[in-house]
Amino acid sequence: MKGKFLVQTSVGLTQAPDFVKWTTTKRISLMDNRIQKLTGSPTCPNLSTLRLDLNSDLQMISNGFFQFMPNLRVLSLSNTKIVELPSDISNLVSLQYLDLSGTEIKKLPIEMKNLVQLKTLRLCASKLYSIPRGLISSLLMLQGVGMYNCGLYDQVAEGGVESYGNESLVEELESLKYLMDLSVTIASAYVFKRFLSSRKLPSCTLGICLKMFKGSSSLNLSSLENMKHLYAFMMKDFDSLREIKFDWAEKGKETVGYSSLNPKVKCFHGLRKVAINRCQMLKNLTWLIFAPNLLYLKIGQCDEMEEVIGKGVEDGGNLNPFTKFI
């Protein structure tokens, strides 16, 4: 297998190895280096895997770089400072796995429509806020889509929510025949309602991030109990949210107060991680009594929150939250 693998990880590289070495190579890993840019057009007819993760100085890949990689199947650029993808990413017609999580990319290029073999697209914790209409639905083979905690903090003020507040994104995700694993970011109360009404999406959702529902003073999370595989939940940048409501199923559609909820009945068995950030008006998170297996809870910049679990549930039964914390 000599010459088939090129691995130089964590060795302080500031530029890529000579492209001559790439010609016959099948797998390349240059993870955790200090490469700043990738230019040129390496000829890599056999290359199937290219990993550039954790190159925290990497900001630019020039157009033409992906021109001669017809058999590339795995491309990982996670946790780099890449701002945009070159248009010639359209040449990666064999690509099956693309990881852009934790990058500075704000918009996906329409040329990604050519990635018809793509099965996994990871965008979590990226700055991405704009996805061209029709791009997701054109990637017919997608099985896993990660869009958890995407976007910019100030994008609403700038009028920049083009995807996570757009109903068409939900419709495109619904059209994916093979979708099995999904995490999403939603930036509109209307789109959240549309998402919950889907017959397909809630059942395959592992993580959901709600952000910047402008003008919403209350939020009903009752429908989340039907998301059996929900593992992670985040709320952020709700400027006027004061309460989270919960419609208890056994009481029909009546919204009941926390004092009459029975914490013996647990809904969110799979929920492990919850993060609440910049929800300045929110008073408490009493609904978490229904998450018996929670392992991680982060609360930040919630100025009005005085208690996590409200006192009103003390007479509700065996209240013993957060027993699984590590």
Side-chain angles (χ1 to χ4, degrees):
M1 300 301 291
K2 185 178 181 180
K4 300 294 184 182
F5 295 85
L6 174 57
V7 179
Q8 294 188 29
T9 61
S10 307
V11 293
L13 293 179
T14 56
Q15 60 184 23
D18 194 316
F19 289 155
V20 173
K21 298 179 181 179
W22 295 37
T23 306
T24 59
T25 304
K26 289 191 65 176
R27 298 180 183 178
I28 295 176
S29 177
L30 304 175
M31 294 171 56
D32 191 22
N33 281 294
R34 300 176 62 185
I35 299 171
Q36 297 180 14
K37 59 182 179 179
L38 293 169
T39 59
S41 302
T43 301
C44 313
N46 303 314
L47 188 63
S48 65
T49 300
L50 178 58
R51 299 203 57 172
L52 296 159
D53 326 30
L54 300 171
N55 274 275
S56 58
D57 296 328
L58 182 59
Q59 299 183 38
M60 189 268 287
I61 299 178
S62 67
N63 199 37
F65 186 80
F66 295 122
Q67 190 172 357
F68 305 115
M69 300 182 183
N71 292 304
L72 191 66
R73 296 184 180 183
V74 175
L75 174 61
S76 182
L77 297 167
S78 67
N79 297 295
T80 64
K81 287 188 171 62
I82 291 292
V83 175
E84 62 180 358
L85 293 174
S87 59
D88 72 315
I89 196 168
S90 60
N91 291 331
L92 303 181
V93 294
S94 299
L95 199 65
Q96 297 183 17
Y97 179 95
L98 177 59
D99 192 348
L100 303 174
S101 56
T103 65
E104 302 289 318
I105 291 174
K106 297 180 178 64
K107 297 183 179 182
L108 294 181
I110 191 62
E111 289 83 1
M112 281 181 58
K113 277 190 172 184
N114 281 20
L115 308 184
V116 293
Q117 298 298 319
L118 197 65
K119 295 181 179 179
T120 301
L121 176 61
R122 293 180 52 82
L123 302 161
C124 298
S126 70
K127 297 294 179 62
L128 183 78
Y129 68 82
S130 179
I131 302 172
R133 192 179 296 267
L135 173 57
I136 295 297
S137 57
S138 68
L139 304 176
L140 301 177
M141 303 304 292
L142 276 178
Q143 299 176 11
V145 179
M147 297 181 180
Y148 186 75
N149 192 20
C150 287
L152 302 173
Y153 167 55
D154 58 352
Q155 61 191 22
V156 164
E158 297 177 358
V161 174
E162 299 177 22
S163 296
Y164 310 118
N166 196 318
E167 185 181 6
S168 64
L169 179 61
V170 174
E171 294 171 350
E172 291 190 46
L173 289 169
E174 279 183 316
S175 73
L176 298 175
K177 181 179 179 181
Y178 302 107
L179 186 64
M180 295 185 297
D181 299 314
L182 173 67
S183 64
V184 293
T185 294
I186 296 176
S188 156
Y190 175 77
V191 175
F192 183 43
K193 184 177 180 180
R194 173 67 180 84
F195 172 84
L196 292 173
S197 70
S198 170
R199 292 184 177 182
K200 176 179 183 177
L201 300 183
S203 64
C204 64
T205 297
L206 306 179
I208 187 166
C209 171
L210 306 179
K211 59 188 295 187
M212 296 179 283
F213 287 19
K214 285 295 181 180
S216 297
S217 60
S218 66
L219 182 65
N220 197 318
L221 297 183
S222 304
S223 298
L224 294 186
E225 69 172 298
N226 297 320
M227 298 170 64
K228 304 301 182 183
H229 302 291
L230 187 64
Y231 178 89
F233 176 76
M234 175 180 286
M235 290 176 56
K236 58 192 297 188
D237 305 321
F238 281 70
D239 59 354
S240 55
L241 183 68
R242 292 180 177 274
E243 63 175 341
I244 296 175
K245 296 182 177 180
F246 197 96
D247 292 338
W248 188 231
E250 293 180 356
K251 295 183 177 293
K253 296 183 179 180
E254 177 188 1
T255 300
V256 299
Y258 288 128
S259 60
S260 56
L261 291 178
N262 182 1
K264 291 180 180 179
V265 184
K266 301 173 177 63
C267 304
F268 305 105
H269 282 279
L271 192 61
R272 299 293 193 273
K273 300 179 66 175
V274 171
I276 312 293
N277 295 315
R278 295 187 292 272
C279 297
Q280 286 91 345
M281 308 297 290
L282 193 60
K283 300 294 185 180
N284 62 56
L285 298 173
T286 305
W287 67 277
L288 290 177
I289 62 174
F290 295 112
N293 297 313
L294 198 66
L295 299 177
Y296 173 91
L297 174 63
K298 178 180 180 180
I299 304 172
Q301 299 182 49
C302 297
D303 300 342
E304 295 294 318
M305 190 173 298
E306 298 178 355
E307 55 187 7
V308 178
I309 301 296
K311 294 180 180 179
V313 297
E314 289 178 352
D315 59 353
N318 294 327
L319 177 60
N320 193 18
F322 312 141
T323 57
K324 299 292 182 68
F325 274 21
I326 53 175

